[in-house]
Amino acid sequence: AVVWEEPQLAEVAHWQLGVQLPSVRPLSLYVCARHQPEEASRDVLVINRGRLARDVLFTQAANGLRHRLYPYRFVDQVKAMPFADMARYRASVLLPWDLNLVMFHDLYAMELPLFLPDRAGLHHTAFVYFSRFHRNPQHAGQPWSEVRPGRQAVPHPFSPFEVDFLEPRDYWLSFTEYLRVPHV
């Protein structure tokens, strides 16, 4: 059987191929760590993949703007940080750089309080990788954003690969787990 790990990916495939396949949320069973609020540190973990300066700048700004009586400190994730170490933080902040991140499911599986940008903020953060990929001249003329030849009608009003404007971004964002799972 073929399934997609995210509803958004399943809908992109439906748009491109004309075949609707199910999606199954990753369970992240390999995480093997749970957040224990009574044992949590006073630090908030900022998930930082290391190549995006905006995450480091966010951490610096959050700490710089912190009121002296605010009890929590923001800390950048270190490279190859074990899940057990992540689960010891008070909470986490994720500024998604793509529409589908397994790290989102890993943090969610840990039951670690997770803060994301609101919907308007996701319009700016969750399309970073796609925008860089789309602007890369090596991809010019490649058929990666076309529908299957011979396909007649497409099931969505916007191409998932033409997301330079608010309406298509919002449309495709609505299929992401960032907006679908409870308690985020």
Side-chain angles (χ1 to χ4, degrees):
V2 175
V3 298
W4 297 97
E5 71 180 47
E6 296 272 353
Q8 190 268 340
L9 291 174
E11 292 303 323
V12 168
H14 187 206
W15 179 87
Q16 213 165 15
L17 303 173
V19 177
Q20 191 153 28
L21 296 171
S23 66
V24 177
R25 181 179 293 144
L27 299 176
S28 299
L29 297 176
Y30 51 84
V31 169
C32 299
R34 291 286 178 269
H35 174 69
Q36 302 296 326
E38 63 282 353
E39 298 172 13
S41 75
R42 299 188 68 76
D43 294 335
V44 175
L45 179 65
V46 177
I47 302 302
N48 184 346
R49 126 181 175 178
R51 291 182 285 199
L52 296 175
R54 70 137 198 245
D55 295 338
V56 174
L57 294 174
F58 173 85
T59 304
Q60 291 172 353
N63 283 322
L65 296 170
R66 208 177 91 200
H67 188 275
R68 62 181 175 76
L69 298 178
Y70 186 72
Y72 307 113
R73 213 171 44 106
F74 294 88
V75 178
D76 282 317
Q77 173 193 5
V78 297
K79 186 175 184 176
M81 179 181 272
F83 292 125
D85 291 352
M86 290 181 189
R88 290 187 189 106
Y89 283 85
R90 176 63 50 198
S92 62
V93 174
L94 176 65
L95 304 173
W97 53 88
D98 202 356
L99 293 174
N100 306 290
L101 296 175
V102 173
M103 175 58 84
F104 171 80
H105 296 283
D106 295 345
L107 295 166
Y108 195 79
M110 281 184 240
E111 300 173 5
L112 181 62
L114 175 59
F115 295 94
L116 293 167
D118 63 7
R119 191 177 190 119
L122 286 169
H123 283 283
H124 299 288
T125 63
F127 292 89
V128 169
Y129 180 78
F130 183 80
S131 296
R132 288 188 343 197
F133 183 81
H134 193 58
R135 288 190 311 259
N136 187 330
Q138 293 178 338
H139 299 126
Q142 296 295 317
W144 57 274
S145 64
E146 297 176 5
V147 296
R148 180 177 49 89
R151 175 120 166 77
Q152 298 299 319
V154 291
H156 298 287
F158 301 104
S159 164
F161 302 101
E162 301 297 330
V163 290
D164 294 331
F165 298 100
L166 181 62
E167 292 83 4
R169 279 185 180 216
D170 196 59
Y171 180 80
W172 288 103
L173 195 56
S174 69
F175 292 103
T176 66
E177 294 285 66
Y178 307 139
L179 299 178
R180 290 178 167 222
V181 299
H183 311 295
V184 174

